[in-house]
Amino acid sequence: MDNFWNVIWIIFWSFAFVAYLFALFAIVADLFRDHKLNGWWKALWILFLIFVPFLTVLVYLIARGRGMAERSAREQRQVQRATDDYIKQVAGASPADEIAKAKQLLDNGTITQDEYASLKAKILA
């Protein structure tokens, strides 16, 4: 029975340690993400994280937790926007847009009616 509780205790502390590491890495990432914080303050936070890690993590999460969440959400929006822009760029225009462009070229006299018909057939294929 004693061995069972030792295993449970090891699992608990392992979980707590991994959770602490996640919080630590999130804080370090947030420090470098925050452009309003002076470099000296960032260095001071890092020093405290090295020498008094557990207490510093708690203080940081309490004092700067809301800003941390806002910066994280803003970065997620920027990443999503960049991903959407990339997908739109790679995907190209819709067939209707391509036909409209070809029609505009025809109206401007840049291409002939036969070239327009050929482009339209290619786009719709």
Side-chain angles (χ1 to χ4, degrees), residues 27-95:
I27 288 171
V28 171
D30 183 62
L31 280 172
F32 289 104
R33 186 183 304 132
D34 187 4
H35 299 292
K36 293 180 183 175
L37 191 62
N38 187 342
W40 289 106
W41 283 108
K42 291 178 184 182
L44 190 64
W45 276 111
I46 296 292
L47 282 174
F48 275 106
L49 282 170
I50 292 170
F51 292 113
V52 193
F54 187 72
L55 182 63
T56 306
V57 166
L58 287 177
V59 169
Y60 190 90
L61 291 175
I62 292 168
R64 298 180 45 94
R66 175 173 288 161
M68 187 176 177
E70 290 169 356
R71 284 184 292 278
S72 179
R74 183 173 48 244
E75 183 168 328
Q76 288 297 324
R77 284 191 302 269
Q78 288 174 345
V79 167
Q80 183 66 43
R81 195 174 314 120
T83 302
D84 292 344
D85 291 344
Y86 175 73
I87 290 171
K88 287 176 186 174
Q89 176 189 2
V90 172
S94 70

